[in-house]
């Protein structure tokens, strides 16, 4: 992990949040802050609710209870437009638009929201692609590039409007260890150079230890957050069986 | 108990579907009204691409079916009219039948099968691939981005396809009557005497309405595609079935309106 020190100012705050979908609560009483400039990981096994929490954070689903604020504002009909400008999201599949080239995908948010002129927008999009080391893939279609490249284009698109927080959903999923490590390096470099905050949903431990300043861990069986802190501190100091098992240092239910 | 349970579930599902459809319709109307103030936000390129796929790519099948319809109608009606020696009135029957009713309805069925299902499949696939979520979190309403261009394309494609299918139907009818020794010029004279400007305009207006319905139902089915392995297939089926029902119902209502107002 690099030596960038996040500020103490919270950019995302969850207070006693009840997470899930109408009629189906998945997690209760979730409380934590994400600090500005931090790389924060949401950890847990499959189906534990970490992607559900992410969907609440990015305003796709409303929280069932409690309070969630992003840059001091809750997601409402009135705040949606301004909050959308403050976030960038990289989805698990990349979610690039298949009918557009990589450059057009990155250009899209700039065309819709930026006041830059046509030439400046194009230059900015190319610069973003260069940031993720994909300048030479500008004119290629998403179907012609690899999974790792798609994710990098998606990161470039997510950063197009210089958001305050970039959310990454399973960035390492489906990638080989070398590509995954390269993506981790990219995230660290972007944080160092741009000072952005990252929230990463993952269950890849090497990635967590490589990039995350802090993490929150969720347990499906208990339906709540069970740990919060620096990954190494949790690995070495937690007495919770599930946390120890997750980090490969303990037992769960005696197994 | 199983019966009442099943009825109850159906009612709840119907209510939920109805609410979702109304929400989608409202969202689409709001997005369309928003374009009045910001027409530059309409995605003309996407609409042009959807129009090309709906109109130009659908042209051969619409014209082909229109031609065959004209041939079949002419043969069937000529068989009866020949008994009275008035087979020349097949031209009148074709003009009224094609321009008022069959032209728009057959073309709408073709559009529902080709483009309505394609709209549902395209948008359904985008939903499964999280592209709709990506648009939403970028602050781009999927309705403005994906639905309005396709609905506009369907509404514009329908009159084009309809008029060409109708002309093809008339050509088919003329060929059949030629076989029955009715000169083509007599056929066309009957057609032009029978077909009024109002009749043609009414048929084209109806085709626009059908295009609107096919576009809305196709896109709506895609937007509500289940996120399952068969979700896209389910959406495409819903689009076609829903479009066919909507076309039939709206055509029936228009027929009643025409009868009441003597149009």
């Amino acid at each position: 992990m690099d030596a960038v020190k996040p500020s103490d100012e919270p950019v995302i705050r969850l207070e006693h949040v009840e997470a899930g979908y109408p009629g189906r609560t998945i997690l209760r009483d979730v409380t934590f802050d994400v600090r500005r400039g931090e790389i924060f990981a949401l950890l847990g096994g499959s189906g534990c609710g970490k992607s559900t929490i992410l969907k609440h954070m990015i305003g796709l689903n409303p929280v069932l209870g409690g309070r969630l604020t992003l840059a001091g504002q809750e997601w409402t009909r009135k705040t949606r437009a301004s909050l959308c400008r403050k976030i960038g999201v990289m989805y698990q599949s990349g979610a690039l638009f298949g009918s557009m080239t990589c450059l057009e995908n990155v250009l899209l948010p700039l065309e819709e929201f930026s006041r830059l002129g046509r030439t400046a927008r194009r230059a900015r999009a190319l610069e973003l692609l260069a940031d993720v080391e994909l300048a030479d893939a500008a004119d290629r279609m998403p179907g012609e590039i690899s999974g790792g490249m798609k994710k990098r284009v998606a990161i470039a698109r997510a950063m197009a409007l210089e958001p305050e927080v970039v959310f990454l959903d399973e960035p390492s999923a489906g990638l080989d260890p070398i590509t995954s490590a390269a993506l981790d390096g990219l995230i660290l470099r972007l944080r160092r150079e741009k000072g952005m905050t990252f929230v990463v949903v993952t269950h890849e431990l090497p990635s967590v230890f490589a990039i995350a300043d802090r993490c929150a861990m969720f347990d499906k069986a208990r339906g709540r957050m069970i740990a919060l802190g620096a990954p190494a501190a949790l690995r070495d100091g937690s007495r919770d069986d599930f946390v120890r098992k997750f980090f490969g240092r303990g037992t769960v239910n005696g197994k | 108990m199983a019966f009442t349970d099943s009825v109850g579930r159906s009612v709840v599902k119907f209510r939920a579907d109805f609410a979702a459809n109304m929400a989608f319709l409202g969202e689409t109307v709001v997005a369309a009204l928003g374009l009045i103030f910001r027409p530059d936000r309409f995605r003309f390129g996407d609409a042009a691409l959807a129009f090309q796929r709906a109109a130009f790519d659908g042209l051969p099948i619409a014209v082909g079916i229109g031609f065959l319809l004209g041939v079949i109608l002419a043969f069937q009606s000529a068989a009866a009219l020949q008994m009275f020696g008035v087979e020349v009135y097949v031209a009148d029957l074709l003009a009224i039948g094609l321009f008022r009713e069959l032209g728009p309805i057959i073309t709408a069925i073709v559009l529902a099968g080709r483009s309505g299902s394609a709209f549902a499949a395209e948008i359904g696939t985008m939903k499964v691939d999280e592209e709709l979520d990506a648009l939403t979190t970028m602050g781009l309403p999927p309705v403005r981005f994906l639905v309005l261009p396709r609905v506009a394309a369907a509404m514009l494609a329908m009159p084009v396809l309809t008029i060409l299918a109708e002309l093809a139907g008339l050509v088919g009818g003329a060929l059949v009557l030629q076989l029955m020794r009715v000169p083509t010029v007599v056929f066309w004279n009957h057609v032009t005497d029978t077909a009024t400007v109002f009749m043609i305009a009414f048929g084209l207006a109806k085709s626009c309405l059908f295009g609107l319905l096919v576009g809305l139902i196709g896109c709506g089915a895609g937007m509500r595609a289940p996120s399952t392995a068969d979700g896209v297939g389910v959406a495409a089926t819903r689009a076609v079935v829903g479009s066919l029902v909507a076309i039939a119902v709206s055509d029936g209502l228009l027929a009643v309106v025409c009868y009441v107002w003597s149009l």
Side-chain angles (χ1 to χ4, degrees):
Chain A
M1 204 175 55
D2 66 355
V4 175
K5 189 171 172 8
S7 78
D8 289 334
E9 180 197 351
V11 66
I12 302 172
R13 172 162 279 177
L14 284 84
E15 295 168 274
H16 309 291
V17 162
E18 193 178 323
Y21 303 89
R24 189 163 70 97
T25 300
I26 296 173
L27 294 167
R28 290 179 198 281
D29 201 24
V30 178
T31 299
F32 63 83
D33 289 338
V34 177
R35 298 166 192 159
R36 197 170 293 278
E38 183 174 43
I39 299 179
F40 191 92
L42 302 177
L43 280 181
S46 301
C48 72
K50 50 192 189 299
S51 291
T52 308
I53 288 277
L54 181 86
K55 284 184 179 173
H56 291 317
M57 286 178 167
I58 61 180
L60 281 180
N61 296 334
V63 294
L64 302 180
R67 189 162 184 264
L68 188 156
T69 55
L70 195 145
Q73 291 181 301
E74 287 188 66
W75 283 99
T76 63
R77 195 180 288 260
K78 281 184 181 172
T79 60
R80 169 162 292 279
S82 71
L83 285 181
C84 281
R85 309 287 188 287
K86 292 179 180 172
I87 63 166
V89 186
M90 188 218 79
Y91 290 87
Q92 190 171 343
S93 61
L96 299 179
F97 303 113
S99 58
M100 299 177 177
T101 63
C102 294
L103 179 67
E104 287 166 344
N105 265 282
V106 180
L107 265 172
L108 181 64
L110 294 168
E111 281 172 349
E112 290 286 334
F113 301 114
S114 159
R115 291 184 180 172
L116 296 172
R118 194 186 177 92
T119 316
R121 284 199 304 260
R122 190 180 159 81
R124 170 82 183 125
L126 284 169
E127 186 187 319
L128 285 160
L129 281 173
D131 278 345
V132 295
E133 296 158 13
L134 280 177
D136 54 350
D139 294 324
R140 291 165 75 179
M141 303 300 283
E144 299 168 355
I145 59 176
S146 69
M149 290 164 86
K150 278 182 196 165
K151 292 191 179 197
R152 282 193 279 159
V153 175
I155 291 177
R157 186 178 67 183
M159 297 192 313
L161 297 174
E162 298 181 348
E164 291 186 28
V165 190
V166 177
F167 295 87
L168 309 173
D169 189 6
E170 305 273 11
S172 306
L175 301 183
D176 64 77
I178 295 171
T179 311
S180 177
L183 202 58
D184 290 342
L186 173 68
I187 294 166
L188 287 172
R189 181 167 62 78
L190 292 172
R191 191 264 290 265
R192 194 169 55 241
E193 291 173 1
K194 317 265 180 194
M196 284 174 182
T197 308
F198 286 88
V199 175
V200 186
V201 170
T202 185
H203 49 232
E204 299 283 334
L205 288 180
S207 196
V208 173
F209 285 110
I211 63 173
D213 298 302
R214 288 190 309 143
C215 61
M217 187 180 286
F218 306 96
D219 181 16
K220 186 181 181 180
R222 283 175 275 182
R224 62 182 179 83
M225 187 175 83
I226 53 168
L228 177 67
L234 293 183
R235 179 193 58 195
D236 300 334
S238 177
R239 294 184 173 190
D240 186 282
D241 276 351
F242 182 87
V243 177
R244 292 172 63 81
K245 176 80 174 174
F246 197 91
F247 286 114
R249 294 174 63 90
T251 61
V252 172
N253 299 332
K255 293 174 190 166
Chain B
M1 193 67 185
F3 174 73
T4 50
D5 184 57
S6 165
V7 170
R9 282 178 195 279
S10 299
V11 170
V12 169
K13 185 175 179 304
F14 176 79
R15 210 180 91 174
D17 285 348
F18 183 77
N21 286 335
M22 288 300 107
F24 171 71
L25 188 61
E27 210 179 328
T28 308
V29 169
V30 168
L33 290 176
L35 289 179
I36 294 173
F37 303 103
R38 290 287 307 273
D40 57 307
R41 303 197 102 186
F42 183 68
R43 299 197 57 92
F44 287 99
D46 293 344
L49 188 65
F51 178 81
Q52 182 199 316
R53 287 179 183 163
F56 296 136
D57 298 352
L59 193 62
I61 190 164
V63 168
I65 288 182
F67 177 80
L68 289 174
L69 191 70
V71 169
I72 294 164
L73 267 179
F75 266 125
Q76 295 291 335
S77 49
L81 294 174
Q82 233 174 359
M83 289 193 287
F84 306 100
V86 289
E87 60 268 32
V88 69
Y89 285 106
V90 168
D92 303 61
L93 187 146
L94 276 179
I96 295 170
L98 285 173
F99 285 126
R100 276 192 81 108
E101 202 61 48
L102 293 171
I105 213 162
I106 286 295
T107 314
I109 290 170
V110 170
L111 191 83
R114 271 196 93 261
S115 303
S117 57
F119 293 164
E122 283 165 9
I123 297 178
T125 306
M126 292 180 79
K127 187 181 179 199
V128 173
D129 288 345
E130 299 178 304
E131 291 173 40
L132 299 192
D133 287 348
L135 282 172
T136 306
T137 49
M138 273 194 269
L140 302 172
V143 166
R144 172 167 70 80
F145 202 82
L146 302 172
V147 176
L148 292 183
R150 285 171 172 80
V151 171
M155 283 181 75
L156 289 175
M158 264 301 288
V160 174
L161 288 175
T162 301
I163 201 81
L164 292 173
E166 288 166 353
L167 291 175
L170 290 178
V171 170
L175 287 176
V176 170
L177 284 200
Q178 220 171 23
L179 292 176
M180 295 172 181
R181 296 197 173 79
V182 176
T184 305
V185 67
V186 175
F187 176 87
W188 286 112
N189 283 342
H190 271 261
V191 168
T192 48
D193 285 347
T194 309
T196 61
V197 172
F198 174 80
M199 187 190 290
I200 296 170
F202 182 76
L204 293 181
K206 201 153 76 167
S207 72
C208 279
L209 172 71
F210 292 161
L212 173 71
L213 292 173
V214 169
L216 280 175
I217 293 169
C219 294
M223 297 282 282
R224 290 193 310 283
S227 298
T228 53
D230 62 347
V232 175
V234 169
T237 306
R238 277 183 193 162
V240 175
V241 174
S243 296
L244 295 183
V245 171
I247 290 164
V249 170
S250 59
D251 197 43
L253 289 174
L254 283 173
V256 172
V257 169
C258 286
Y259 176 76
V260 171
W261 287 353
S262 306
L263 292 172

